Amino acid sequence: MQAEIDALLALQSDDLRIREIEDQIKALDPQLAALDARRGKASEALARAQAAVQTEEKKKRELEGRLAQHKQMQERNLHALDDVKRMREATAATAQVDTTKRLMAEDESELQILGRRLSDLNATVDASSKGLADIEKEQEATRPDIEAKRAALQEELGGARKERDGRSSGVSRPMLSKYDRIRSKRPMALYPLQGGSCGNCDTAIPLQRRNMMSGGGQIEVCEACGVLLYSGA
Ligand SMILES: [Zn+2]
C-alpha cells in the first residue's frame, strides 16, 4: 500500500508542476491580447481617416462636375447674349450670365474649402499610417519573444503530461479516479496526517481510522473536507 501512496505523491507533484506551467502559459495571453488591441486601435484610426478622405473626395468630384456644367451653361449664355438683338432679351440674357457667374463663384469657393479640408484629412491619414507602422515595428520585436516563450512552455507542458501519464499506471484505477475527482475541485488531493488530524483542514481523525492508515498504509478520505489522507509516519 505504501507503493500506491508513493505513486500518488509522485503523481501529485507532476500535477502541481503541470498546473504551474499552464498558469505561466495563461499569463502570456493578456500580453498578446494587449498587443493585438493596440495594433487594432491604430489600424481602425487609419481606416477612419481614409474613409473620411474618400467621402470628401467624392464631394469634390461632384462639385467639380457641377462647376463644369455651370461653365458650359455660361458659354451658352454668352453666345445667347451675342446673338440677341432686342433690348428686353438682352437684359434677360445678361441676368442669366450674372446668375451663372454667381453660381460658378460659389462652386469655386466651396471647392477651395473642400481642398483645405482634404489636405487636413490627408495629413491625418499620413499620421495614422505612420502610427500604425511604428506599432507594427515595435511589435515585430515583442511578439516573437512572447511566442517563443509560449512554445517553450508548451513543450515543457507536453513533457510533463507524458511523464504524468506514465506514472499514473502505478495507481489503481478506482484510486486514480477518486484522486482525479478531488483534484478537479482543488489544487491538491492528497495530504498527510498531521498529529492525528487532517493535513488540510485540521479536523481530528478517529483513532481507529488512523491506525488503519499507519498500520496498513491505507488511504482514507477526510470526512470534513474530502481530501485523501495518508499516514506520513
Ligand atoms: Zn480534511
Side-chain angles (χ1 to χ4, degrees):
M1 290 307 253
Q2 184 59 41
E4 187 163 54
I5 293 173
D6 290 342
L8 264 181
L9 282 171
L11 200 62
Q12 176 157 275
S13 115
D14 282 348
D15 282 333
L16 288 172
R17 185 169 149 237
I18 286 170
R19 187 162 305 213
E20 200 188 309
I21 301 169
E22 283 170 346
D23 286 348
Q24 283 172 13
I25 292 174
K26 259 187 235 148
L28 294 177
D29 289 343
Q31 291 181 32
L32 282 173
L35 290 184
D36 286 343
R38 250 190 99 207
R39 197 197 167 282
K41 226 169 136 187
S43 122
E44 272 167 32
L46 177 59
R48 266 199 311 277
Q50 283 168 335
V53 165
Q54 272 173 12
T55 307
E56 296 303 307
E57 268 172 353
K58 185 167 173 258
K59 270 192 216 161
K60 190 182 166 197
R61 281 194 300 276
E62 286 165 3
L63 204 49
E64 281 167 348
R66 205 165 79 196
L67 177 61
Q69 272 179 0
H70 286 152
K71 274 184 181 161
Q72 271 180 7
M73 195 193 286
Q74 191 68 324
E75 270 175 40
R76 283 198 302 273
N77 290 341
L78 291 170
H79 277 303
L81 186 58
D82 283 345
D83 289 347
V84 291
K85 307 279 186 287
R86 280 174 297 157
M87 197 53 196
R88 221 175 55 199
E89 281 176 33
T91 310
T94 306
Q96 191 58 51
V97 166
D98 287 345
T99 303
T100 309
K101 203 171 154 188
R102 208 179 57 240
L103 289 175
M104 282 164 62
E106 276 171 22
D107 293 343
E108 269 156 4
S109 127
E110 269 184 65
L111 267 172
Q112 249 178 25
I113 294 167
L114 206 51
R116 280 196 292 274
R117 197 184 305 155
L118 261 171
S119 96
D120 284 352
L121 286 171
N122 275 315
T124 307
V125 166
D126 288 348
S128 302
S129 133
K130 190 180 174 300
L132 180 59
D134 285 349
I135 286 175
E136 274 172 350
K137 201 173 166 203
E138 187 189 310
Q139 295 197 355
E140 259 170 44
T142 334
R143 214 176 270 273
D145 207 41
I146 299 175
E147 296 291 0
K149 252 185 230 164
R150 182 201 289 276
L153 284 169
Q154 289 285 11
E155 205 180 314
E156 201 185 333
L157 183 62
R161 281 189 178 141
K162 219 172 184 175
E163 232 170 81
R164 194 256 188 213
D165 289 347
R167 233 189 271 284
S168 61
S169 58
V171 182
S172 74
R173 192 154 278 283
M175 183 53 78
L176 187 62
S177 75
K178 213 186 259 181
Y179 166 86
D180 281 334
R181 200 172 55 244
I182 298 168
R183 197 181 52 93
S184 68
K185 294 176 207 138
R186 52 176 78 245
M188 268 173 61
L190 186 63
Y191 286 83
L193 272 179
Q194 250 158 17
S197 299
C198 168
N200 181 44
C201 73
D202 210 28
T203 301
I205 308 298
L207 184 64
Q208 195 195 345
R209 293 184 67 205
R210 254 157 49 203
N211 286 341
M212 275 160 66
M213 289 158 80
S214 58
Q218 203 142 312
I219 296 170
E220 294 278 320
V221 174
C222 170
E223 282 169 357
C225 71
V227 303
L228 297 174
L229 288 172
Y230 68 99
S231 169

